[in-house]
Amino acid sequence: MEKLDACIRNHDREIEKMCNFHHQGFVDAITELLKVRADAEKLKVQVTDTNRRLQESGKEVIAQTEEIIRCRIQQRNITTVVEKLQLCLPVLEMYSKLKEQMKVKRYYSALKTMEQLENMYFPRVSQYRFCQIMIENLPKLRKEIKEISMSDLKDFLESIRKHSDKIGETAMKQAQQQKTFHTALPKQNNVNYGKNMYIINGRVPEPKYEITSKPTLEEEDEHEEEVLTAHDLVDFSPVYRCLHIYSVLGDGDTFENYYRKQRKKQARLVLQPQSSMHETVEGYRRYFSQIVGFFVVEDHILHVTQGLVTRAYTDELWNMALSKIIAVLRTHSSYCTDPDLVLELKNLIVVFADTLQGYGFPVNRLFDLLFEIRDQYNETLLKKWAGLFRDIFEADNYSPIPVANEEEYKIVISKFPFQDLELDKQSFPKKLPMSQSVPQIYIQVKEFIYASLKFSESLHRSSTEIDDMLRKSTNLLLTRTLSSCLQNLIKKPHIGLTELVQIIINTTHLEQACKYLEDFITNITNISQETVHTARLYGLSTFKDARHSAEGEIYTKLNQKIDEFIQLADYDWTMSEPDGRASGYLMDLINFLRSTFQVFTHLPGKVAQTACMSACQHLSTSLMQMLLDSELKQISMGAIQQFNLDVIQCELFASSEPVPGFQGDTLQLAFIDLRQLLDLFMVWDWSTYLADYGQPTSKYLRVNPSTALTLLEKVHKGMKDSSKKNNIFAQFRKNDRDKQKLIETVVKQLRSLVNGMSQHI
């Protein structure tokens, strides 16, 4: 039609040119016609005749003309058909394009093509049946697109669920690098830090066309220098496509609800820990990586989509997750008995918190949880160090440390702060007063402080708080763990008196070293000990308590040893004459006490004196109980005299000052009750005893009437039995009878005294 129009215009111009060219000729022709008007009539007749003849001869021409008209009508119809086909061809082409887009999975473009078909093309050809068929197919195609895009979204969500740990691991690794970078930034202002963390300020990444199936998700190139971002690991295009598709279809709310519902389900799966997670650090690492990966994806979706997820939704999801995370960590961390594992867990929590804090999630509760885990970490450290202390105590020989030369001496004092001017003046070889366990314990306490300090790092706490935490944990180590180990050591049966003495010496030196431990902590934290809120170490009370227990155990073991010797006593309570020398068991006991108290020279004077006094008092009490034993029914005077010889040896031992520092006869007073009782029987001075009883100046002030009565009855019975055996000596029998009568009289008087005392009480 355009060419025809152009052709018509050309002909019109040619006609116009021709008319212009022949105008003068036309005028001349009119003039000439006027001239020939006369001839016109003649010509008319001729024309009429000619016309008649022409009509007759043109009948055939008319028939041909009608045929031409019919052909012209056909030509017009063909033209109309061509016009209609030209109107339908774009519709068919667009529909073909739609099919091709569906085939190559360009669903968003396909939806746009459908809109064009519905709004622009179908109205032009709506009267045709094929158009109605196409219109009926469009809803089916839209439904197919929705199903396919939803299937892609499900594949995406499944892939994200499988690889969230890889995403989280990458994010946590980058957070650590970024933290290191910011730490080093003041020193290196020109250093640029890698890539941004997948999105900053809502920057949308370039769309990708692979659904989370990249090789980087399957395996990690260990030699890769550039750290991959979440963009490199995750293809978010299925989400964008599905969101756009549902938005175009007017079903955005359905997609939004489905996405959030599925992600909440995945969140619950991610937050569910494995039962054996607490056994290895990799279990915790995978758990944290999955959670970080989940929220990295959600944060990305928040910034690059409009309304698919909101800040309120992510905050709600995070608060739910945070409560679950804290509960899981509380439960599983309680099973951790290895301090190294607890420390690794703490480091993971810090990286986990720092990573999510970088994405705008509040993590204060995680740092509060770290303080709970810190207490548990300290408990695991205390258990570990309890084992170390036990091993040290088991391996110790409880002997002073020998040093043969200056080099060995420097090695010891480099491990333990020891100063003794008197010892420094001595020549080598010499011995340090403490045993090997002292420097080892001191070193282990310092190692404990270092181990405790490791947990305080990266907790965003001030030096004062760190100092306070270190001192509190060290106090627990001293007052609970080390104190308990010392108490258990002291109570062990194989620990003898020599070992107990060395333990007392060791605790004295450890107590003196506490001030050096305080200086050690001060040097680490740079917090002065004069600070008001600075805690003090309680080593003083710890080691004092241990010394008191050791001293008490010394007294107990001495008394037990005395009891063992006394159990060897084999008195003949019916002997008529003494042996003339002290009993063998007693001499062995005294020799044992002498050698034992020589070892006590290294102890503080008061301890040695108390031990000596306790031993003498226990010996005196044991000897007294031997005389008053209810199973001993009778005692001869010969046995009394033999017993007196043994007590004399005890008194000689007490007067020999086995431990220096006693004033006057203080130690001998331990045997005063026994001495006065024996003197009463040896000199048979009952009249004086009965006459002076109750007087402050009485010679036998320490003799109790009940004790005297019990022993006198045994002696009386012994004398009766002796008289029966020796009845052949008449004179002796008469003297014996007189003595028995005297005894009976004294017994009656003593009984009256005892009864009077009972009534008075």
Side-chain angles (χ1 to χ4, degrees), residues 38-226:
D39 296 330
E41 292 295 333
K42 188 187 292 184
L43 180 60
K44 181 177 179 182
V45 174
Q46 293 177 354
V47 169
T48 304
D49 183 55
T50 301
N51 181 57
R52 180 181 57 76
R53 292 196 301 271
L54 182 62
Q55 290 294 331
E56 291 178 356
S57 60
K59 289 180 179 180
E60 184 178 352
V61 175
I62 291 171
Q64 293 295 328
T65 302
E66 290 178 353
E67 181 67 22
I68 290 173
I69 292 172
R70 187 178 61 79
C71 289
R72 290 290 178 87
I73 292 172
Q74 289 179 349
Q75 185 180 5
R76 185 181 62 194
N77 291 339
I78 290 172
T79 302
T80 302
V81 169
V82 170
E83 291 176 354
K84 296 300 182 182
L85 287 176
Q86 288 176 343
L87 185 64
C88 293
L89 278 176
V91 178
L92 296 173
E93 289 174 354
M94 287 296 291
Y95 194 79
S96 176
K97 179 181 178 181
L98 173 62
K99 288 292 187 179
E100 184 66 23
Q101 289 171 338
M102 291 290 293
K103 183 177 180 181
V104 297
K105 299 182 178 181
R106 296 176 57 191
Y107 302 116
Y108 183 71
S109 300
L111 289 176
K112 291 297 184 182
T113 302
M114 290 183 192
E115 288 184 1
Q116 291 179 358
L117 284 171
E118 289 177 330
N119 297 330
M120 296 176 57
Y121 292 94
F122 284 165
R124 300 175 185 175
V125 293
S126 59
Q127 67 274 21
Y128 300 112
R129 189 174 64 177
F130 77 89
C131 180
Q132 296 299 323
I133 295 173
M134 291 180 181
I135 292 173
E136 292 174 359
N137 283 336
L138 289 186
K140 297 178 182 179
L141 293 176
R142 284 194 174 95
K143 183 178 179 182
E144 181 181 352
I145 290 174
K146 286 179 67 175
E147 292 175 351
I148 293 174
S149 62
M150 183 58 70
S151 177
D152 290 345
L153 177 67
K154 291 178 180 179
D155 293 340
F156 168 81
L157 293 176
E158 180 64 21
S159 180
I160 285 293
R161 186 186 68 81
K162 290 180 179 179
H163 300 102
S164 60
D165 57 335
K166 193 65 174 179
I167 301 169
E169 183 180 349
T170 301
M172 292 170 69
K173 195 178 296 183
Q174 289 180 333
Q176 284 181 291
Q177 292 177 352
Q178 195 169 20
K179 185 176 181 181
T180 305
F181 168 75
H182 286 309
T183 303
L185 190 61
K187 299 180 181 179
Q188 301 178 0
N189 291 325
N190 296 326
V191 176
N192 293 324
Y193 173 70
K195 285 189 174 183
N196 291 327
M197 189 64 193
Y198 91 80
I199 181 167
I200 296 178
N201 297 328
R203 179 171 58 83
V204 182
E206 293 295 326
K208 296 180 174 58
Y209 301 96
E210 300 292 335
I211 302 178
T212 329
S213 59
K214 300 187 178 183
T216 52
L217 285 176
E218 303 297 334
E219 59 183 13
E220 180 181 6
D221 186 3
E222 295 179 354
H223 305 288
E224 186 178 7
E225 295 180 359
E226 183 181 11

Side-chain angles (χ1 to χ4, degrees), residues 581-694:
R581 62 179 183 276
S583 302
Y585 85 92
L586 188 68
M587 296 307 298
D588 293 340
L589 172 58
I590 290 175
N591 292 332
F592 163 76
L593 291 176
R594 288 186 189 279
S595 61
T596 300
F597 291 142
Q598 286 178 358
V599 178
F600 286 8
T601 54
H602 299 293
L603 288 175
K606 187 176 181 181
V607 176
Q609 292 169 14
T610 305
C612 186
M613 176 59 75
S614 173
C616 291
Q617 288 177 343
H618 184 72
L619 176 57
S620 175
T621 302
S622 299
L623 292 174
M624 180 70 78
Q625 290 175 349
M626 191 184 299
L627 287 176
L628 302 178
D629 188 2
S630 58
E631 295 183 359
L632 180 60
K633 303 301 182 181
Q634 59 180 5
I635 302 176
S636 67
M637 287 305 298
I640 292 291
Q641 293 170 0
Q642 179 63 43
F643 199 82
N644 184 57
L645 292 175
D646 293 344
V647 174
I648 290 173
Q649 289 298 322
C650 294
E651 292 172 330
L652 291 174
F653 168 74
S655 62
S656 66
E657 198 174 7
V659 172
F662 285 108
Q663 296 180 356
D665 298 335
T666 303
L667 191 58
Q668 291 174 309
L669 292 176
F671 300 96
I672 188 63
D673 292 356
L674 198 56
R675 168 48 52 207
Q676 289 186 7
L677 180 62
L678 290 175
D679 284 349
L680 181 59
F681 279 86
M682 294 297 295
V683 299
W684 210 254
D685 195 8
W686 292 103
S687 58
T688 302
Y689 173 75
L690 294 172
D692 295 343
Y693 176 76

Side-chain angles (χ1 to χ4, degrees), residues 495-557:
I495 297 297
L497 293 171
T498 304
E499 288 80 2
L500 289 171
V501 171
Q502 188 62 55
I503 289 172
I504 292 175
I505 297 170
N506 290 349
T507 53
T508 301
H509 289 284
L510 287 172
E511 178 184 331
Q512 294 170 355
C514 282
K515 63 179 181 179
Y516 296 100
L517 291 175
E518 289 190 340
D519 295 338
F520 177 71
I521 296 176
T522 299
N523 292 333
I524 293 176
T525 60
N526 293 324
I527 300 298
S528 174
Q529 297 181 26
E530 283 71 25
T531 305
V532 176
H533 300 291
T534 300
R536 294 288 185 257
L537 297 184
Y538 301 143
L540 187 65
S541 61
T542 298
F543 298 119
K544 276 186 176 179
D545 293 341
R547 277 200 302 277
H548 291 327
S549 298
E551 291 167 8
E553 195 66 19
I554 285 177
Y555 307 150
T556 302
K557 287 187 179 295

